[in-house]
Every structure is written in C-alpha cells, then in structure tokens.
Amino acid sequence: MSTVWKKRLLKLGIIVPISLNGVATVDALTRSEFNPIRHWISHQSLGERGWLGTWNLLLSGTLILVFSIVLKLTLESGKSAVWGSIFMGTFGLGLLIAALFPIDPGLNWPPGLPASRSVSGQIHDIGGALVFGSLIAVCLVLSSKFKESSDWIRWRVYSILSALVVFASFVLCSIFVALDFSNVMPSAPSGLFERISMAVGCLWIVLLTLRLLGNKESTN
C-alpha cells in the first residue's frame, strides 16, 4: 500500500468514531419519546428510524475493520502493534454483530412494545461485550507500544485512564440496566453511561490517529 493511501485510510480513525457518536447523538435527541439517558445506542436500531441506527453501526464496523488493517501497517512491528490492530478489528466486528443482530425491545423502547428475549438479542449482547471489551483492550495494549519513547509518556497515562473510564462506565451501565429491568430503579441512566463509555473509547482512537498522522517517527 502506498504511503498516500495509507495516510488517507488512516484518517478513518478520525472520521468513523466522530460520525458514529455524532449520528447516534443527533438521532437520539430528535426521536420522539426516546431517552438517551436511559436508552442505549443499540436501541436506535429499533422503532422509528431504526434503519439509521442499524446502518450507523454497520458502516462504522466495516470501516473500523479497514482502519485496523491500516493501523497495523502504520505501527509496523511489535507484539503490541499486532494485538492492538487485532483488538481494533474486534471492536469493528462487535459493531457489525450489534448491527446484524438487533437488540431486543426493552426499557419501554420501542413505545408500546413489551420487553422480550430472543436469540438475536443474545447474540447482540455478545457483540456489545466485544465492542467495549475491545476498546478497553486496545487502549491498554497500545499504551505499551511507545513505552520506550519519552514523547509518549503522557499518552501512556492517558491510554490507561481511558481504559479505566471505559471499563467503569460499562460496569455502571450494566448495573443500572439490571436495576431498571428489576424495577428497583426505573429509568436508571444506563444509556448515559453506555454513551460515556463509547465516547471516551472513540475519543482515544481519534487522538491516537491524530498523533500517528502528525508524528511519522513515533512508530519506529
């Protein structure tokens, strides 16, 4: 792959995370009766404009898979480069699974439709765990890629902190949704913490890409 095309495709690491979160946010805020504090990004594949939520996940997952390949070519050698690109790829794969196997109705979304459980929903849950697990893993793995470079010390700290925030937010999301489903805490803010987890992980990808584009020698 030529250097020019490598740089062009590397920019997917900026475009895709921003578009994924941007489309999800605008769509959530403009849907009648949809509550982004309670409802998840995946719930946007159901009900009104469900096609938009599905295609947002589908296109994002596909392009992240492309980005994972370019990331490996950019980082070149080393175990962390290999595993970092693999976990970036599983992040994209998780998005694809979440798109192809829609989440089950629940948390009063779509309106008037009772909560249910299906094989599709169970597979979707696996995809969701893969998404957030991969974000955590890629932050941690690539935090060690530049451990011998003094220019990247702050980046390593930021990467570890990002992984912790993604993990903590996803755990809180899981706790709140369990409380919501059990009616212990109706309308708990599980959607808010899912969106925080996704946004923090995606911001890390954007900033990593910007550093790689601006510092050619960082991968030597």
Side-chain angles (χ1 to χ4, degrees):
M1 182 183 295
S2 69
T3 303
V4 173
W5 271 105
K6 189 186 298 185
K7 285 184 177 181
R8 288 176 179 175
L9 292 176
L10 191 63
K11 291 178 182 178
L12 289 173
I14 300 171
I15 298 169
V16 179
I18 292 175
S19 64
L20 170 62
N21 288 271
V23 170
T25 300
V26 173
D27 182 36
L29 294 176
T30 55
R31 285 201 196 196
S32 176
E33 299 185 56
F34 191 88
N35 182 0
I37 303 298
R38 183 187 190 189
H39 299 133
W40 299 5
I41 295 172
S42 295
H43 283 120
Q44 295 172 228
S45 296
L46 305 176
E48 180 188 359
R49 293 206 306 260
W51 62 269
L52 179 58
T54 298
W55 276 100
N56 189 27
L57 295 175
L58 191 62
L59 290 176
S60 297
T62 301
L63 294 176
I64 285 294
L65 284 174
V66 175
F67 173 71
S68 69
I69 297 172
V70 181
L71 181 64
K72 173 60 180 69
L73 295 175
T74 302
L75 295 176
E76 297 177 354
S77 61
K79 290 184 179 180
S80 57
V82 173
W83 283 105
S85 61
I86 288 174
F87 286 128
M88 188 65 72
T90 56
F91 169 51
L93 178 61
L95 292 174
L96 286 177
I97 293 173
L100 296 173
F101 297 91
I103 192 172
D104 290 319
L107 306 181
N108 293 331
W109 186 265
L113 198 63
S116 62
R117 196 64 176 151
S118 68
V119 173
S120 174
Q122 293 173 348
I123 297 176
H124 179 92
D125 290 345
I126 295 173
L130 190 59
V131 165
F132 294 100
S134 297
L135 282 176
I136 295 167
V138 74
C139 287
L140 292 176
V141 168
L142 289 186
S143 71
S144 64
K145 168 65 179 174
F146 311 102
K147 61 184 178 182
E148 296 180 358
S149 174
S150 59
D151 294 335
W152 288 75
I153 293 178
R154 292 182 180 179
W155 174 262
R156 291 190 64 208
V157 174
Y158 167 65
S159 296
I160 294 171
L161 289 176
S162 293
L164 291 174
V165 173
V166 172
F167 173 75
S169 298
F170 186 67
V171 169
L172 287 172
C173 167
S174 302
I175 293 173
F176 280 129
V177 76
L179 294 174
D180 198 344
F181 272 118
S182 62
N183 289 320
V184 173
M185 188 177 178
S187 300
S190 61
L192 172 63
F193 284 96
E194 186 219 25
R195 293 168 195 277
I196 290 174
S197 187
M198 179 69 82
V200 171
C202 284
L203 177 61
W204 179 89
I205 295 174
V206 170
L207 295 180
L208 171 67
T209 305
L210 287 172
R211 287 212 63 165
L212 292 175
L213 285 170
N215 189 353
K216 298 179 182 178
E217 297 182 356
S218 63
T219 58
N220 293 337

